Amino acid sequence: MLTASTVAKLGAAIAARALAAVLPFPFLVRRLPFCRSRLISHSYCEHMAVVKLACGDTTPNNLYGLVMSLLMAGADLSCIFVSYGLILRAVFRLPSLQARHKALGTCGAHVGVIVIAYTPGLFSFLTHRFGHSIPHHVHIFLANFYLMVPAMLNPIVYGAKTKELRDRVLRALCPGRSAS
């Protein structure tokens, strides 16, 4: 199924898609006139934070960012739904109820990670475009949350599925209790 060649092709396709999505950003920003401060009040150089410093027409930047956010999320979620449909079809064909439960538990962890990763990202992107009444510090918090929290929660979500790790954490937190 997943040969080294297939994995390499998938990796190349993912890298090409990412490059194609972000490559226009520097060119879109370069055409903007900046007549105010060039100091970004953000913890990292985010495209929309730079665009907000411009004093010219930022419509192309806003449209490109919105369309790309929706297209990327839509394409990703479409692939995820198709994949999970195929996975669920295979899981429900398993003969053992225990094997089905184990597979569904793993799928549940994956769905949790997907929700953790996509929800703050989409919310952050959309508040930049439509949340003009949202305070600036909330935008910064959401952007930092979007970058840091999914990466921090990923090992926790998957680690909770690992019985050995879960048992060791329970023993460390509750020394008198025996792990199940």
Side-chain angles (χ1 to χ4, degrees):
M1 273 194 163
L2 282 179
T3 64
S5 172
T6 302
V7 172
K9 289 175 186 172
L10 286 172
I14 290 167
R17 174 192 138 161
L19 184 63
V22 299
L23 192 60
F25 284 136
F27 299 106
L28 286 167
V29 169
R30 185 176 169 198
R31 66 168 197 77
L32 294 173
F34 293 94
C35 48
R36 293 186 297 242
S37 169
R38 291 181 183 227
L39 188 65
I40 299 171
S41 59
H42 232 284
S43 49
Y44 63 93
C45 186
E46 182 184 41
H47 176 251
M48 287 309 295
V50 175
V51 169
K52 286 186 177 186
L53 296 175
C55 54
D57 180 24
T58 61
T59 303
N61 299 68
N62 292 329
L63 284 175
Y64 182 77
L66 177 63
V67 167
M68 288 310 294
S69 297
L70 295 175
L71 282 176
M72 298 289 258
D76 289 352
L77 292 174
S78 296
C79 289
I80 289 166
F81 284 132
V82 168
S83 296
Y84 274 94
L86 296 171
I87 290 168
L88 288 175
R89 188 175 75 182
V91 165
F92 288 122
R93 289 181 178 167
L94 292 172
S96 162
L97 185 63
Q98 184 180 6
R100 281 188 219 145
H101 282 288
K102 185 174 181 177
L104 289 174
T106 302
C107 287
H110 294 192
V111 170
V113 168
I114 291 165
V115 169
I116 289 168
Y118 275 90
T119 303
L122 280 174
F123 192 71
S124 176
F125 293 140
L126 294 175
T127 56
H128 268 298
R129 282 142 185 99
F130 303 114
H132 302 294
S133 62
I134 296 176
H136 186 66
H137 66 278
V138 173
H139 284 285
I140 294 171
F141 174 78
L142 287 172
N144 290 337
F145 184 90
Y146 156 66
L147 287 179
M148 292 173 39
V149 172
M152 292 180 342
L153 289 179
N154 210 0
I156 294 169
V157 170
Y158 287 116
K161 298 298 299 169
T162 307
K163 183 177 178 359
E164 296 83 13
L165 182 61
R166 187 175 57 240
D167 289 347
R168 286 187 135 194
V169 169
L170 287 174
R171 273 196 304 257
L173 294 176
C174 308
R177 276 178 65 181
S178 63
S180 57

